Amino acid sequence: MKKSLTFLLLTLHTVVFAQFNISINGSTPAPQETIDTAIVRIGYTVFSISDTTKRDKSTEDYLILEVGSKYSKFYSDNARRRDSLMNAVLERSAGSGNIQFTPELLKSNNIKSGGSRDIIFKNLSENKLTFIGSIARSHY
C-alpha cells in the first residue's frame, strides 16, 4: 500500500498557477504567468475551533500543498473554489446590478463557507517565502 501511494504521489502532475491578479481601481487585471508545474499535490482536511468555550462549533477547511521543482504553493481549496464561484456569478450578472451570492449557492456547489484566503509561496532554491494575505477585500 505504501509503495502504491508513493508511486501515485510521484506520478501526479498538476499545473501550479502561482500567479497574482493585479487590479487598480477596477482596471483590467495584469496578465497571469505560470511559474512552475507541480510534481506532488497533497490535500489536508483541517478542523479548527476558533472559540475554545464553544468546542462544538468547529470549521472545516481543505488545504492544498503543491510542490514543484522551483516553487511550492500552500492555499485553501475552499477559498479558491468560493472565489471562482463568486467571479463566475459576477461575470454572469455584469451590468445588471443583480448579484445573487448566497449560502445556498455555496451549499449547492458543495463549497464550505470557511477557508482562509491566505496563500504561501516558497521559492525552493532561495529558501524564501512569499505570503499573500487579505485585509477586508484587498490582498497584500
Side-chain angles (χ1 to χ4, degrees):
M1 176 68 179
K2 188 176 179 181
K3 288 181 182 179
S4 297
L5 181 59
T6 303
F7 177 75
L8 177 66
L9 289 174
L10 292 175
T11 58
L12 179 65
H13 296 306
T14 304
V15 174
V16 177
F17 292 103
Q19 50 202 240
F20 302 70
N21 282 336
I22 301 169
S23 178
I24 301 172
N25 295 328
S27 65
T28 305
Q32 299 178 2
E33 176 185 351
T34 302
I35 60 173
D36 200 358
T37 302
I39 299 167
V40 176
R41 185 174 197 243
I42 303 166
Y44 306 84
T45 300
V46 177
F47 297 92
S48 60
I49 300 171
S50 59
D51 185 348
T52 57
T53 64
K54 299 177 183 173
R55 293 185 178 266
D56 59 328
K57 305 251 182 189
S58 66
T59 58
E60 179 183 345
D61 199 359
Y62 189 69
L63 303 175
I64 303 289
L65 171 64
E66 295 176 331
V67 182
S69 59
K70 301 174 192 172
Y71 296 92
S72 67
K73 178 182 178 184
F74 187 70
Y75 62 95
S76 165
D77 195 52
N78 286 347
R80 180 197 62 80
R81 294 178 65 219
R82 185 180 61 244
D83 289 350
S84 294
L85 179 62
M86 186 167 51
N87 288 337
V89 168
L90 289 171
E91 283 179 21
R92 276 190 233 130
S93 63
S96 71
N98 185 17
I99 299 172
Q100 301 284 331
F101 193 74
T102 63
E104 292 78 24
L105 181 62
L106 291 174
K107 190 174 183 177
S108 67
N109 283 280
N110 197 26
I111 299 173
K112 307 284 184 202
S113 60
S116 171
R117 294 179 69 199
D118 300 339
I119 302 171
I120 301 171
F121 294 100
K122 183 173 185 180
N123 181 325
L124 300 173
S125 63
E126 296 178 15
N127 202 26
K128 290 186 179 179
L129 293 178
T130 300
F131 175 82
I132 300 174
S134 300
I135 299 175
R137 294 182 185 251
S138 300
H139 296 289
Y140 297 94

